[in-house]
Amino acid sequence: NGGATNQYTAVLTSSGIIRMIESDSTGRTGSGIMQKSAANQFNAGAQTFVFGFTGVDSTGNRVGYVGLLPMTPTSATSGTISGGLLDVNDNGSDACGTTPCNVTGTYQLDGTIPGLWHMTLNSVTTLDFDFFVSAGQTSNAPNPLTLYAISTDDPTSHPALSGSMVYQFPMTYNN
């Protein structure tokens, strides 16, 4: 609707995954995969996710965040995060001081864009993310429920991060 047109070249792999790479002249490049949405499985009960976010800090240096997010719904459209853990490597230094850091937060479904959720994490600093439920399931299977997140804070004062959050089937992993 009046915006830029993006074109992708796509290929279907033998395992049924659609891989895509941007092939237009917008000056932006991107790649990824296309998967069937599993939105109805997210927020159906308390769920624990591990995450890995990478990007750059406000000075342009590499940064990586990994951790554990226990997500508990308070309604069908929102929830809380408590008891989470976070390990940060910011340009070779541990931003937490003593790892892991504790993480709390909230998440809420966006009322205007279907499938879009907003999340705020509180730890070393407050970080805001948008995320979408991608695909997978909440059972002990080879394709766990996966959420894809991207930070929405001003990158001149907060890290610019993106990555995935993967459901941890109970009793499969420990902390």
Side-chain angles (χ1 to χ4, degrees):
N1 290 337
T5 300
N6 301 83
Q7 295 178 345
Y8 295 86
T9 299
V11 63
L12 178 63
T13 69
S14 61
S15 61
I17 296 172
I18 300 173
R19 297 197 183 274
M20 305 178 342
I21 188 165
E22 194 165 7
S23 58
D24 54 35
S25 59
T26 62
R28 296 182 304 266
T29 58
S31 64
I33 60 174
M34 183 184 301
Q35 296 176 309
K36 182 180 176 185
S37 175
N40 60 339
Q41 295 180 6
F42 176 68
N43 211 39
Q47 299 172 334
T48 299
F49 291 83
V50 294
F51 66 91
F53 300 144
T54 58
V56 294
D57 63 16
S58 59
T59 61
N61 292 314
R62 292 181 186 175
V63 65
Y65 285 61
V66 295
L68 180 79
L69 296 177
M71 301 175 83
T72 305
T74 54
S75 72
T77 60
S78 65
T80 60
I81 299 166
S82 63
L85 301 172
L86 171 71
D87 187 9
V88 179
N89 182 311
D90 188 352
N91 193 32
S93 64
D94 176 6
C96 293
T98 303
T99 55
C101 301
N102 294 320
V103 178
T104 61
T106 59
Y107 60 96
Q108 183 170 355
L109 183 65
D110 183 287
T112 59
I113 301 174
L116 173 64
W117 293 78
H118 304 290
M119 175 175 66
T120 299
L121 298 179
N122 302 303
S123 186
V124 178
T125 187
T126 299
L127 300 170
D128 296 300
F129 291 87
D130 282 347
F131 69 87
F132 287 89
V133 178
S134 174
Q137 53 193 358
T138 57
S139 62
N140 193 9
N143 59 335
L145 182 61
T146 303
L147 316 176
Y148 289 101
I150 187 165
S151 58
T152 58
D153 293 312
D154 179 355
T156 61
S157 60
H158 289 78
L161 302 166
S162 66
S164 60
M165 300 162 48
V166 180
Y167 177 76
Q168 297 301 288
F169 185 76
M171 306 307 293
T172 302
Y173 303 98
N174 62 29
N175 292 349

